[in-house]
DNA sequence: GCACGTCGTCGAAGCGCTTCGATTTCCTGT
DNA sequence: ACAGGAAATCGAAGCGCTTCGACGACGTGC
């Protein structure tokens, strides 16, 4: 292994000079810098990460905690993770992958040992067990998701409440009066996952305001579960003319079942989804949908972290950033049967 | 921050004694050990990762390189990654997340700087650009996947060739004489992704041996793409009575299309998939399938890495480990129309 | 032509840990 | 009762890097 000292000897300068060339923290004359750079290249020098972390007490690593459960939005999770890693690299940082398994103690471990300088948490519950560790100053953190009480926390998420409202607005605008919501799996609600409840809140609020009927049913992604839920919905509210789906695995089963029971989309029923663009575009009927901007979420989370890490710890060190939802109209939504679009 | 020295002072011993208590590399008397342990707990001591890595030249970190593309088996990728992280933790290691974006140089970086002791690579291409860096001794690595020439490399993967053969055996055993293969997206083949080509090889070899007709078509996962591919297959080979699908996103579209065109599964056509169990179980018709054992792959990869890392670098330091495929019969396969099961 | 500030570089002191003798203590065998 | 060992602990020397104060060699202002 090549060390700084060897580079220094090779370039005929002191070790500290090489260090300053690398860090740019003190001015170095042009000829010297050139010489050092050449030696570095020639010897293939790579600074030792541990030594660097020890001396500078900065590891240049951030930890990313992903949920271990795989019952929800898996592709979204991976996309966020990849975006986090990519964005971190542009700042010269690497990403340590933590699973939820170890629980809150994992945070203490990587943070207390100086392994990671900061943390990004995904899949935050409304009342997450990891939150107490994060309030206040101790370790810099950004949550992807929104807990019940975000005071003193740094959060980024899609504005799911607004997303829900947007769906209702779109459908009500088309003339629908009865909407059914096919939600995430029951476990998602049992865990009080923020995004699910917030979407529901937004849907309800806006439906109430516009005088539209709303029926919500959690739903597993399996074909059978969707069939059961659909049957019950149509039984309870025969007047339902539109569905909002917030469960990507339920999308195709739902469309298939509607087709099979002779309901054309969008002529007989409209379907609006909250899901990644890729899912909406490739569905058997291209879906009118509110996109889940996975990449953007990952990127924003990292940017906020670095703002906090490098910035002057300004007044906006903490705070919530909700991305505005965007609804894209595709083929799956239209005015309800027998009615013209009323505008 | 609490240091080793403070713990030592608090316990009334020398720093080295504390270190030996922690590492167990030298015998420490029971009373002393107890005292040290108590001090550690009381002070909330956590060893500094960088210092430890510097002094011992072991970072206790392995790097995991995941593909950045999201066109293939995304949930499988995440599941492998999580299994890798979890298994690594049981050995006291953490996992650094690398994306394919940086390319081979990322390997050099994390490895050359001592950041990671070893590497696990996912989504290996038949002729992967990262392979040259890995041949021979330099840095310990395990591939999840199988390149064209695995000489000198350490690989773990499902035996996709055997999986293909197994599918043919199952269908031929039921009496099918014409099989169509709905493959991964064209990009997968263009990139010469190992598993896709190996499955195809296994399918072809066994089909040839058993005198069964085989037609292969790459296929995107979108509904329209599946529709196109299906139409062409039925056009070219009207006698096709069974499908093998190796593309989880194509599964539901295919089933929906078969239904829509009045072909019952499994009465009129059989469908066998190579996909994760979860997908097979939850499909609109539960699928006879060869499982992709994501967790197992992740776990085995890590175990092999540690065998190599800690082991005596025995003769089997390198080598290929192919997991035997398991075919589970579910509802989607049966004898072809108008024929009894011949055994 | 002399005090003074700059610029570029060097030396040395750590950062917190591991590890390798060396040292002390206490047992064992005879 | 005494040499010889084993067992338990200590001290010190790094691991490779960053960083701070210091220092020589300049140019500048009067």
């Amino acid at each position: 292994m090549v060390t700084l000292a060897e580079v220094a000897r090779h370039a005929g300068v002191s070790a500290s000079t090489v260090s300053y060339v690398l860090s740019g923290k003190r001015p170095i004359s042009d000829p010297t810098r050139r010489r050092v750079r050449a030696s570095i290249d020639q010897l293939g020098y790579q600074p030792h990460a541990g030594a660097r972390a020890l001396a500078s007490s900065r590891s240049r690593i951030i930890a990313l905690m992903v949920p271990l459960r795989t019952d929800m939005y898996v592709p979204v999770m991976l996309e966020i993770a990849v975006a986090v890693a990519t964005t971190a690299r542009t700042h010269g940082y690497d990403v340590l992958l933590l699973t939820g398994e170890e629980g809150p103690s994992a945070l203490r471990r990587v943070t207390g040992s100086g392994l990671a300088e900061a943390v990004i948490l995904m899949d935050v519950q409304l009342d997450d067990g990891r939150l107490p560790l994060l309030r206040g100053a101790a370790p810099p953190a950004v949550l992807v998701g929104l807990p019940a009480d975000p005071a003193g926390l740094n959060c980024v998420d899609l504005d799911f409440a607004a997303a829900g409202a947007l769906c209702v607005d779109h459908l009500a605008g088309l003339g629908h009066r009865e909407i059914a919501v096919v939600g995430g799996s029951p476990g998602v609600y049992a865990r009080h996952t923020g995004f699910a409840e917030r979407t529901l809140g937004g849907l309800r609020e806006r439906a109430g305001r516009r005088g539209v009927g709303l029926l919500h049913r959690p739903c597993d992604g399996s074909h059978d579960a969707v069939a059961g839920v659909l049957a019950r919905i149509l039984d309870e509210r025969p007047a339902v003319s539109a569905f909002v789906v917030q469960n990507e695995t339920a999308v195709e089963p739902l469309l298939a079942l509607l087709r099979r029971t002779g309901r054309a989309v969008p002529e007989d029923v409209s379907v609006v989804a909250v899901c990644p663009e890729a899912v909406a575009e490739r569905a058997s009927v291209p879906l009118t949908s509110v996109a889940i901007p996975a990449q953007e979420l990952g990127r924003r989370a990292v940017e906020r972290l670095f703002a906090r890490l490098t910035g002057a710890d300004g007044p906006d060190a903490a705070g919530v950033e909700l991305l505005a939802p965007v609804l894209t109209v595709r083929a799956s939504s239209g005015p309800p049967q027998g009615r013209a679009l009323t505008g």
Side-chain angles (χ1 to χ4, degrees), chain A:
Chain A
M1 188 196 183
V2 187
T3 70
L4 220 199
E6 302 180 52
V7 173
R9 204 174 318 131
H10 186 271
V13 299
S14 77
S16 49
T17 300
V18 177
S19 179
Y20 286 124
V21 167
L22 252 30
S23 70
K25 292 193 177 173
R26 282 202 185 171
I28 298 290
S29 72
D30 223 62
T32 305
R33 187 174 341 160
R34 234 185 285 287
R35 214 144 28 89
V36 170
R37 287 256 159 76
S39 298
I40 288 177
D41 290 350
Q42 257 176 70
L43 303 180
Y45 168 69
Q46 297 218 238
H48 187 282
R52 189 174 263 213
L54 175 57
S56 67
S57 31
R58 295 188 40 204
S59 65
R60 301 179 159 276
I61 289 181
I62 64 181
L64 173 69
M65 201 159 182
V66 306
L68 70 170
R69 28 175 172 282
T70 46
D71 65 342
M72 202 53 219
Y73 280 108
V74 175
V76 175
M77 294 295 175
L78 221 210
E79 200 175 340
I80 294 178
V82 169
V84 165
T86 307
T87 311
R89 281 305 305 147
T90 69
H91 293 261
Y93 274 64
D94 271 297
V95 170
L96 202 70
L97 183 67
L98 301 180
T99 67
E101 186 141 297
E102 260 187 290
S105 73
L107 291 182
R108 226 176 290 123
R109 185 172 61 79
V110 301
T111 257
S113 66
L115 219 196
E117 295 175 34
V119 194
I120 293 180
L121 270 69
M122 293 171 55
D123 189 42
V124 177
Q125 317 289 304
L126 278 182
D127 184 17
D128 204 290
R130 302 166 293 190
L131 297 187
L133 287 173
L134 300 178
R135 307 221 180 255
V142 172
L143 317 189
V144 178
L146 192 60
D149 174 16
L153 297 173
N154 216 324
C155 310
V156 180
D157 205 354
L158 176 64
D159 189 340
F160 279 99
L166 205 50
C167 291
V168 171
D169 278 342
H170 173 69
L171 291 170
L174 288 168
H176 295 271
R177 312 302 306 159
E178 283 286 342
I179 299 175
V181 181
V182 177
S185 66
V188 166
Y189 295 93
R191 295 202 305 269
H192 297 293
T193 305
F195 72 88
E197 309 217 336
R198 285 187 284 132
T199 309
L200 190 53
L203 287 161
R204 288 210 171 113
E205 180 275 334
R206 189 56 52 94
R209 178 129 52 107
R210 301 190 66 137
V212 170
L214 194 82
L215 178 66
H216 170 252
R217 287 280 173 272
C219 183
D220 263 333
S222 77
H223 193 84
D224 287 355
V226 177
V229 166
L230 179 59
R232 265 184 295 133
I233 289 173
L234 294 175
D235 186 50
E236 277 183 58
R237 302 269 181 100
V240 158
S241 63
F243 291 85
V244 175
V245 189
Q246 184 178 202
N247 181 339
E248 49 191 49
T249 59
V251 163
E252 281 304 330
L254 178 65
L255 292 175
L257 286 160
L258 290 173
R259 228 168 3 237
R260 190 145 31 152
T261 55
R263 286 164 237 263
V265 174
E267 291 79 6
D268 300 325
V269 280
S270 287
V271 176
V272 175
V274 180
C275 69
E277 293 270 292
V279 172
E281 286 169 358
R282 314 175 81 186
S284 53
V285 180
L287 295 173
T288 294
S289 73
V290 174
I292 296 180
Q295 288 209 160
E296 180 69 11
L297 287 172
R299 238 192 18 241
R300 289 301 305 143
V302 174
E303 298 296 0
R304 299 204 108 212
L305 204 56
F306 283 111
R308 169 104 185 268
L309 232 39
T310 67
D313 240 9
D316 50 7
V320 174
E321 176 178 353
L322 293 181
L323 305 185
V326 176
L327 184 141
T328 303
V329 178
R330 297 199 181 80
S332 67
S333 64
Q337 209 174 20
R339 293 188 47 163
L341 177 56
T342 61

